[in-house]
Amino acid sequence: MILIMWASNIYHRPKLTRSQLAVIIPLAIVHTLGNLLTNVSIGRVNVSFTHTIKAMEPFFTVLFSVLFLGEWPTFWIVFSLIPVVGGVALASFTESSFNWIGFCSAMASNVTNQSRNVLSKKFMVKNEETLDNINLFSIITIISFMLLVPAAILLEGVKFSPSYLQSAANQGLNIRELCIRSLLAGFCLHSYQQVSYMILQMVSPVTHSVGNCVKRVVVIIASVIFFQTPVSPINSLGTTLALTGVFLYSKAKQLKPKPKVAS
């Protein structure tokens, strides 16, 4: 999709310098890890539980904003994170599909994704040698592709011979449907993340993470309905508490500190 976009001049190709590449490669590595860890978690636990854990994104955004951008949170921002952390903990204790690999993978994806967002924001706001959001994400995606191809071939790609596919088809696997769904999933994911990067350039990393959490509400509800996931009252309470904390967090971000009056 990116190569077609550049080749057809829909969007201009960037001219990369070595200094830019040195900054982008670490972003691409954490971007790749974030996507991998999310998929590992979804493969181990319910989709709704993965996204409940990922509701802790604002916590890590605040942490990395302090470490990398020097942006200190207000008291109300810190206070609003308490129900987020407590809700995720409550949902974890009562989750029927809970296992440590799924939990730790989702938590680690929070770390990688939010460090990527904060570092990307830092890169995009520099006055010189900066890339716009579309080309920055495009370069990150291409580097991630180059990182994943050898691993994919070594782990599973060697299996996909014509004889293997024919054997799978004989056992009931619809190869055509698999390919179409894979292409659609890739198209949707790339489009979502591209739009996400466009928004990231317009707003702060914290506001961006709040928007992600609103999206997560939709994902949690849709996955529970679609997969008919059993949800206990306490589990629902934990999820609701975490999402309420995210709402309070967004409100706390809108509060501006009062200017000090000179005596």
Side-chain angles (χ1 to χ4, degrees), residues 11-121:
Y11 204 81
H12 64 90
R13 280 180 295 175
K15 293 181 179 179
L16 277 178
T17 63
R18 288 187 178 181
S19 59
Q20 286 177 325
L21 201 58
V23 175
I24 294 173
I25 287 176
L27 292 178
I29 292 172
V30 294
H31 171 77
T32 306
L33 287 173
N35 282 287
L36 282 174
L37 290 165
T38 299
N39 282 333
V40 168
S41 178
I42 289 174
R44 292 283 183 165
V45 296
N46 291 327
V47 175
S48 56
F49 182 52
T50 295
H51 283 275
T52 299
I53 299 170
K54 287 177 73 63
M56 279 190 68
E57 281 183 347
F59 173 84
F60 292 100
T61 302
V62 168
L63 177 63
F64 293 130
S65 291
V66 171
L67 294 176
F68 299 130
L69 302 182
E71 297 178 359
W72 287 87
T74 64
F75 166 79
W76 292 111
I77 288 177
V78 176
F79 180 78
S80 68
L81 292 174
I82 296 174
V84 175
V85 176
V88 170
L90 189 61
S92 301
F93 290 141
T94 57
E95 172 61 37
S96 59
S97 68
F98 180 88
N99 68 70
W100 283 108
I101 294 178
F103 176 82
C104 293
S105 297
M107 198 63 74
S109 73
N110 280 337
V111 174
T112 53
N113 284 334
Q114 294 317 301
S115 60
R116 178 205 64 186
N117 285 350
V118 171
L119 291 173
S120 295
K121 182 68 177 182

Side-chain angles (χ1 to χ4, degrees), residues 175-186:
I175 304 297
R176 184 169 178 270
E177 184 180 0
L178 174 65
C179 292
I180 291 173
R181 289 190 177 189
S182 296
L183 286 172
L184 283 174

Side-chain angles (χ1 to χ4, degrees), residues 74-253:
T74 64
F75 166 79
W76 292 111
I77 288 177
V78 176
F79 180 78
S80 68
L81 292 174
I82 296 174
V84 175
V85 176
V88 170
L90 189 61
S92 301
F93 290 141
T94 57
E95 172 61 37
S96 59
S97 68
F98 180 88
N99 68 70
W100 283 108
I101 294 178
F103 176 82
C104 293
S105 297
M107 198 63 74
S109 73
N110 280 337
V111 174
T112 53
N113 284 334
Q114 294 317 301
S115 60
R116 178 205 64 186
N117 285 350
V118 171
L119 291 173
S120 295
K121 182 68 177 182
K122 185 176 182 180
F123 180 72
M124 283 191 282
V125 297
K126 285 184 177 178
N127 293 325
E128 56 183 3
E129 292 190 351
T130 187
L131 291 175
D132 60 80
N133 62 80
I134 293 179
N135 278 329
L136 176 58
F137 180 70
S138 297
I139 298 298
I140 286 175
T141 300
I142 290 172
I143 296 174
S144 296
F145 173 77
M146 294 168 66
L147 291 171
L148 282 174
V149 164
I153 292 173
L154 288 173
L155 291 174
E156 289 187 320
V158 291
K159 299 178 183 177
F160 285 89
S161 62
S163 58
Y164 175 84
L165 293 175
Q166 184 60 48
S167 173
N170 292 337
Q171 295 177 16
L173 178 64
N174 190 326
I175 304 297
R176 184 169 178 270
E177 184 180 0
L178 174 65
C179 292
I180 291 173
R181 289 190 177 189
S182 296
L183 286 172
L184 283 174
F187 175 80
C188 291
L189 179 63
H190 178 77
S191 300
Y192 152 67
Q193 292 189 325
Q194 182 67 79
V195 171
S196 179
Y197 252 68
M198 290 171 65
I199 295 172
L200 180 61
Q201 191 173 33
M202 302 174 189
V203 300
S204 72
V206 173
T207 303
H208 184 268
S209 69
V210 170
N212 260 339
C213 289
V214 173
K215 170 208 72 178
R216 221 167 293 294
V217 175
V218 178
V219 173
I220 289 171
I221 294 173
S223 64
V224 167
I225 295 172
F226 185 82
F227 295 111
Q228 297 183 344
T229 306
V231 181
S232 69
I234 298 179
N235 187 274
S236 300
L237 177 63
T239 302
T240 303
L241 188 62
L243 298 175
T244 301
V246 171
F247 173 76
L248 295 174
Y249 179 76
S250 65
K251 289 296 183 183
K253 279 301 295 178

